[in-house]
Amino acid sequence: MVVRDMKILSVQTFRRDKYINELPGGGIESGETPEEAALRELKEECGLDGTVVRPLNVIHRPNGSLEYIFLVDVAAEQKEIVGSDPEIGANGVQAIKNVYWLSLEEFTERERAFLWSYGLMDVEGFFDKILAWGDDISYPKGDGK
């Protein structure tokens, strides 16, 4: 997770017949640490060099795999580019459409749910921002289908 001026670096990808905004990331290659993998994926997908600041979360997936999320610092003078995603692009279609800096309000409710699980509440400024939202229910109404 890369944050700059309360905006989150997001990669727009095509998954399950729709575009979604998600954090840059991917698999760990043989001999790589999770930190090295995070920085390699950031470079591949966004063209940015970063430094791991600290871990945010480790998610235990139902299939037994682990997903590591780190807070990463990127120098302000670096400019993001639309890179490539070799893991998703195996079918010959490049899944990455764009790279954006998005405010929390620009993410969909679904996308924000993932950001919470990744540890966004532990990134400076976001806890207070969310407390200021109030108590209104904002998730989609209805049966959830």
Side-chain angles (χ1 to χ4, degrees):
M1 184 179 301
V2 183
V3 177
R4 184 184 286 165
D5 299 323
M6 294 297 287
K7 292 195 173 202
I8 302 160
L9 183 65
S10 175
V11 177
Q12 187 182 46
T13 60
F14 191 74
R15 293 185 189 262
R16 298 185 183 176
D17 299 325
K18 66 176 79 174
Y19 284 103
I20 61 168
N21 294 300
E22 58 187 353
L23 300 180
I28 300 172
E29 294 180 356
S30 179
E32 247 181 354
T33 66
E35 293 87 348
E36 291 168 337
L39 297 177
R40 175 184 48 76
E41 291 284 350
L42 179 64
K43 182 71 169 182
E44 286 176 0
E45 296 181 7
C46 304
L48 297 171
D49 294 306
T51 304
V52 172
V53 175
R54 63 184 168 86
L56 286 176
N57 201 1
V58 178
I59 299 172
H60 298 258
R61 296 289 176 204
N63 67 3
S65 67
L66 300 175
E67 187 172 344
Y68 300 88
I69 297 89
F70 299 97
L71 182 61
V72 175
D73 183 52
V74 171
E77 64 271 6
Q78 290 189 72
K79 177 73 176 140
E80 69 281 355
I81 62 166
V82 176
S84 62
D85 190 338
E87 289 105 4
I88 299 173
N91 61 1
V93 177
Q94 182 47 245
I96 296 177
K97 180 180 180 190
N98 218 327
V99 177
Y100 300 106
W101 291 96
L102 298 176
S103 68
L104 196 50
E105 293 79 10
E106 294 174 288
F107 286 94
T108 67
E109 291 288 336
R110 182 185 315 110
E111 293 164 348
R112 284 186 218 162
F114 288 102
L115 293 174
W116 306 147
S117 72
Y118 294 152
L120 183 63
M121 295 293 283
D122 293 324
V123 176
E124 185 178 351
F126 284 95
F127 183 80
D128 291 334
K129 180 178 189 65
I130 292 159
L131 281 180
W133 282 357
D135 298 325
D136 292 341
I137 296 173
S138 61
Y139 60 83
K141 311 293 187 284
D143 61 8
K145 293 182 183 176

